[in-house]
Amino acid sequence: MFDDTMIVQSAVSAFNNAALSAPAFFWWAFLSIPLFVMVYFYGKSFVERFGWSVRNIKSKISLTVVLFVFAWLILFGGNYGVLRDNVTILPFMIAAIVFVASIYVGSNFNQLNLPKLRSATKKQKLRIISVWILFFTVIGLSDFHAWWGPLLQMGAFAAGLLIGRKAKNEMRPLAGTSLIIFATTVAILMQPEFFRFGQLGNLSAIHLIFLIAIALVTAAVIALRNVKPKSFIRHSAFVKLKWLARFLSALCVALFVLTESVPIFLGMTVMLFVTFVLSIVHSEKIQEHLDEKLFAILLCLFGIITTMPVITALGIVYWTYLPNVNVWQQSKFLL
């Protein structure tokens, strides 16, 4: 009498419509403020019990965040029934993120000796093979909308892991993690129903504010990590270029609010990046740890929109390891 697919789609649509005026991720973050306050005061002493310290906190937190994003993408798979179109590039986008995340994980564990089949006994071989089969099965079942879906995700994971294991150097923690976070945010914007984020074309003001904030902070982190201050632009030329970049950035923000388009979101991020690059190049020096402070904010924002309190908590813990400075006073020159 009833089509199961239609019932599921109607239920999901009703959930998204109910979340438009008050997104679920916003309310869980609001109600979790007492927990985050506890993390702020006691999180540092807690993670130090596991061997985390000032020397390795950056790499430890970045690796943990990437692992959680990887697991989140895999476990969120199989929700293709809510998509409006059967033809979508979302599987390829997820595979690309899985590939990069696997490279990051593999490069961080390239010195780890994995169990080998040659020197193992029969029981050990059976255990090793069973673990790998189970792991690849979970990854494959995350994309079962077509026969090639599991092969795509398993291939992306295997290729990324092998490349990461063969790499001589580890991926840079802040840049690599920021790239993975931004790519995941783009995927969420592409199909918000798939990730239970909202309804495509009907995102609320809170949805848009968080997305714009993530784009802004990501652009700032990448610019601060890769551009060095040189102070070689004339002041008159800098003022004109800066106002032009501000105007184009504001225009992109306005267009994104009106259209909620992924290409415009990417263009907005690029324009924000160009604006920040102009500010950095024109400066004589940059305050230390500014990029790390903004990275901690990025983790908190991303943890909120993905309803992963662990990532938000890690951002708070990372913040406590950094010097206590006025971030707004240090970063407002970027704007």
Side-chain angles (χ1 to χ4, degrees):
M1 181 177 180
F2 295 103
D3 186 356
D4 294 339
T5 305
M6 293 298 296
I7 294 174
V8 172
Q9 290 179 347
S10 299
V12 174
S13 179
F15 169 79
N16 289 327
N17 287 329
L20 290 179
S21 58
F25 71 84
F26 175 79
W27 289 118
W28 84 253
F30 179 78
L31 296 174
S32 300
I33 289 177
L35 174 63
F36 296 147
V37 172
M38 294 177 61
V39 171
Y40 179 81
F41 286 105
Y42 305 108
K44 186 176 181 180
S45 59
F46 176 77
V47 298
E48 287 177 350
R49 297 181 180 181
F50 301 95
W52 294 21
S53 62
V54 178
R55 296 181 179 179
N56 61 13
I57 187 66
K58 185 190 302 183
S59 59
K60 293 289 186 182
I61 284 183
S62 298
L63 179 60
T64 305
V65 169
V66 172
L67 288 173
F68 268 91
V69 173
F70 177 80
W72 185 79
L73 285 172
I74 296 301
L75 297 177
F76 251 91
N79 197 29
Y80 289 94
V82 301
L83 299 183
R84 303 178 185 182
D85 300 323
N86 293 327
V87 179
T88 176
I89 63 171
L90 184 62
F92 302 98
M93 185 68 181
I94 294 177
I97 300 173
V98 169
F99 175 72
V100 177
S102 301
I103 293 178
Y104 187 94
V105 174
S107 65
N108 279 267
F109 289 107
N110 55 6
Q111 302 298 329
L112 179 65
N113 294 323
L114 297 176
K116 297 181 180 180
L117 293 176
R118 293 181 180 179
S119 58
T121 62
K122 290 184 178 180
K123 291 184 178 180
Q124 291 175 340
K125 289 181 180 180
L126 182 61
R127 292 175 183 174
I128 295 171
I129 295 174
S130 300
V131 170
W132 280 110
I133 290 176
L134 177 62
F135 197 74
F136 273 94
T137 301
V138 172
I139 295 175
L141 291 177
S142 67
D143 185 0
F144 215 72
H145 77 291
W147 65 268
W148 48 265
L151 299 177
L152 176 66
Q153 304 302 332
M154 290 188 292
F157 169 73
L161 190 63
L162 289 174
I163 293 174
R165 294 276 296 178
K166 296 296 182 180
K168 296 181 180 179
N169 299 319
E170 298 178 358
M171 287 185 67
R172 292 184 294 173
L174 266 63
T177 308
S178 299
L179 176 63
I180 293 172
I181 287 176
F182 182 73
T184 307
T185 304
V186 173
I188 293 173
L189 180 60
M190 288 172 57
Q191 298 290 350
E193 291 99 341
F194 181 88
F195 296 100
R196 299 170 180 86
F197 178 70
Q199 192 173 30
L200 184 63
N202 289 293
L203 299 179
S204 68
I206 297 177
H207 288 95
L208 297 175
I209 288 172
F210 273 86
L211 290 173
I212 294 171
I214 288 178
L216 187 147
V217 178
T218 302
V221 170
I222 295 176
L224 289 168
R225 295 294 296 180
N226 296 279
V227 181
K228 296 181 179 180
K230 298 180 180 179
S231 185
F232 68 89
I233 302 178
R234 292 182 180 180
H235 183 71
S236 58
F238 168 74
V239 172
K240 295 176 182 177
L241 291 173
K242 188 64 179 290
W243 275 108
L244 177 61
R246 287 171 177 169
F247 173 77
L248 294 176
S249 299
L251 179 62
C252 289
V253 171
L255 289 175
F256 173 66
V257 171
L258 293 174
T259 63
E260 301 175 13
S261 171
V262 173
I264 294 179
F265 180 76
L266 296 175
M268 177 188 68
T269 307
V270 171
M271 281 310 309
L272 290 171
F273 175 77
V274 172
T275 304
F276 300 152
V277 168
L278 288 173
S279 301
I280 296 171
V281 170
H282 184 65
S283 302
E284 295 181 357
K285 65 176 183 178
I286 301 175
Q287 297 293 332
E288 295 183 3
H289 305 293
L290 177 58
D291 54 341
E292 297 180 72
K293 282 283 188 178
L294 294 177
F295 178 71
I297 295 174
L298 177 62
L299 294 183
C300 294
L301 292 172
F302 182 73
I304 290 174
I305 70 167
T306 54
T307 60
M308 283 193 285
V310 173
I311 293 182
T312 303
L314 289 173
I316 296 172
V317 170
Y318 190 51
W319 180 280
T320 60
Y321 272 92
L322 300 174
N324 188 14
V325 295
N326 191 329
V327 178
W328 169 247
Q329 291 295 331
Q330 290 187 352
S331 60
K332 66 180 182 180
F333 81 97
L334 294 171
L335 302 174

